[in-house]
Amino acid sequence: MTVLEQPGSYRPTPPPAWRPRTDPAPLLPDAEPYRVLGTEAADGLDAGLLLRLYGHLVRGRRYNAQATALTRQGRLAVYPSSTGQEACEVAAALALQEQDWLFPSYRDTLAAVARGLDPVQALTLLRGDWHTGYDPHEHRIAPLCTPLATQLPHAVGLAHAARLKGDDVVALAMVGDGGTSEGDFHEALNFAAVWQAPVVFLVQNNGFAISVPLAKQTAAPSLAHKAVGYGMPGRLVDGNDAAAVHEVLTDAVRRAREGGGPTLVEAVTYRMDAHTNADDATRYRSDTEVETWRGHDPIALLEQELTARKLLDEAGMAAEREAAERMAADLRERMNQDPVLDPMDLFTHVYAEQTVQLREQAELLRAELDAAAEAAPDSPEGTQR
């Protein structure tokens, strides 16, 4: 028994320094996910923005379907579909300005495409070809991140560095609900809040970390409530309401740009497809549950709003579907072309200046390639590499 545990022992009152550094009340998220579509708040929405969101949603749905089909054809090693989550993906891309950075996870290929990345380049990593598949600096899109949540500290570091340099840059980092159980998530939020870094964290809560439901990951009232523990605002939003997600993210990006620090946004959505093409989702969720969420489809919600305001008719919907089919056809054609790969690219973009070990390995590989070429002089040019 310690002195302080003894009956009648002296227990000093903590000094004033213990008091909260910030008032927690303004940081708390709403009790229910924020919605716009189907409410009075929708009356003030910009028609052009709604139509732009709709076009991206329709093309995104088709992109997911086509990429999933490519896995069955052996053209992709794996594809984690974001069908049902398109509103989060598109809103994240459209909320950013050109100079800002997007930090996606492996499921966020659609966000990268909506930001302007070539659809084929967005699939290169999942195809098993050449490094990331695109230049992150050119597109301001960090590499698609397969390890859970490791992109979050990277986003904080970039945002903090940009602020120190005086650059007008905000980083938006995307992660799934499963990623919030990783240490990287907590470390990133803590550093972001302490440094007041201009970064926005978007958690797409799609119900499952592969097969583990959210209730088995956390006992928190919501994932957005976790923000309070780090000293940043938490926002809870309907992740299938494209207008609401865009509004919340745009506000969070603006706040970060103006020096207000980070925000944690939880978008409540649902993964309609399996975790990947290698997953059997019927083992951990029912068809009834999936069908219930189909009734809250992000495309249907936006279509209802647009048609009610007479901003969209059957001809307009058909035109968007045709544009999506053209995109899918172009994606199929280019993905069906066998890439010409150079094994020496294994040593490219690893270090700014190659280490002694890498140079030795590169020389060994070069010698093996030259020997193979000499042994097969009649082989078509480029097949050895």
Side-chain angles (χ1 to χ4, degrees):
M1 179 180 293
T2 67
V3 173
L4 292 181
E5 290 173 336
Q6 294 176 2
S9 61
Y10 172 65
R11 291 181 175 84
T13 301
W18 79 270
R19 297 188 181 281
R21 295 175 59 86
T22 56
D23 180 4
L27 307 180
L28 288 168
D30 295 334
E32 296 292 331
Y34 176 66
R35 292 189 61 190
V36 172
L37 298 178
T39 72
E40 293 182 358
D43 296 338
L45 294 175
D46 177 72
L49 173 63
L50 292 180
L51 290 170
R52 188 182 177 199
L53 287 169
Y54 179 74
H56 277 291
L57 291 184
V58 174
R59 290 191 295 276
R61 178 66 56 86
R62 187 66 184 90
Y63 179 82
N64 276 316
Q66 185 59 68
T68 300
L70 288 168
T71 63
R72 301 191 184 104
Q73 298 164 11
R75 288 296 177 179
L76 283 178
V78 67
Y79 184 70
S81 172
S82 58
T83 295
Q85 301 178 216
E86 294 94 344
C88 301
E89 301 279 311
V90 170
L94 299 190
L96 296 175
Q97 295 183 12
E98 183 178 357
Q99 73 272 20
D100 297 332
W101 274 78
L102 179 71
F103 282 77
S105 73
Y106 57 87
R107 195 178 300 280
D108 301 321
T109 49
L110 178 54
V113 171
R115 183 148 169 80
L117 185 63
D118 184 303
V120 172
Q121 290 184 332
L123 296 175
T124 299
L125 178 68
L126 301 174
R127 192 180 190 180
D129 296 345
W130 201 87
H131 294 295
T132 297
Y134 57 89
D135 182 350
H137 290 279
E138 177 186 353
H139 300 281
R140 299 295 179 110
I141 303 172
L144 293 168
C145 191
T146 301
L148 292 186
T150 56
Q151 74 276 19
L152 304 186
H154 301 165
V156 176
L158 182 141
H160 181 55
R163 193 186 67 165
L164 292 177
K165 293 173 61 179
D167 294 341
D168 180 22
V169 171
V170 174
L172 193 156
M174 306 176 71
V175 67
D177 51 289
T180 66
S181 296
E182 297 288 331
D184 299 77
F185 172 82
H186 303 280
E187 293 154 7
L189 266 67
N190 191 61
F191 275 114
V194 170
W195 289 337
Q196 287 293 282
V199 61
V200 176
F201 301 98
L202 172 59
V203 178
Q204 296 179 81
N205 177 6
N206 63 21
F208 295 92
I210 306 184
S211 59
V212 180
L214 185 65
K216 291 187 177 182
Q217 294 186 68
T218 180
S222 74
L223 294 175
H225 277 79
K226 292 179 179 289
V228 183
Y230 299 99
M232 69 179 70
R235 297 294 306 276
L236 186 62
V237 62
D238 183 340
N240 287 17
D241 185 332
V245 180
H246 184 270
E247 178 182 326
V248 169
L249 289 179
T250 299
D251 182 65
V253 169
R254 175 197 56 76
R255 180 177 177 275
R257 197 181 309 281
E258 294 176 353
T263 301
L264 173 64
V265 177
E266 177 189 356
V268 181
T269 182
Y270 195 78
R271 168 168 55 78
M272 303 298 294
D273 291 342
H275 176 69
T276 68
N277 52 294
D279 174 41
D280 180 9
T282 61
R283 298 182 63 180
Y284 55 84
R285 65 183 189 185
S286 67
D287 292 339
T288 302
E289 178 180 310
V290 177
E291 287 305 313
T292 299
W293 274 94
R294 290 191 191 281
H296 197 60
D297 185 286
I299 297 179
L301 291 177
L302 192 49
E303 276 184 356
Q304 293 170 9
E305 185 68 36
L306 289 169
T307 54
R309 295 175 59 175
K310 302 188 184 304
L311 297 173
L312 184 69
D313 55 17
E314 287 295 333
M317 287 186 277
E320 291 294 352
R321 289 194 294 267
E322 290 170 4
E325 287 300 327
R326 290 193 297 270
M327 178 273 299
D330 178 70
L331 181 61
R332 282 196 307 272
E333 180 181 355
R334 292 196 287 149
M335 288 294 291
N336 283 328
Q337 299 172 7
D338 291 329
V340 178
L341 304 178
D342 185 351
M344 297 304 298
D345 277 345
L346 287 170
F347 306 98
T348 305
H349 307 304
V350 180
Y351 293 98
E353 295 183 10
Q354 286 190 347
T355 63
V356 173
Q357 292 85 355
L358 276 184
R359 286 197 297 270
E360 291 175 351
Q361 293 172 24
E363 290 171 1
L364 286 173
L365 180 57
R366 172 65 69 186
E368 292 180 5
L369 292 173
D370 290 342
E374 291 177 2
D378 296 330
S379 297
E381 183 179 357
T383 56
Q384 290 87 17
R385 296 185 182 179

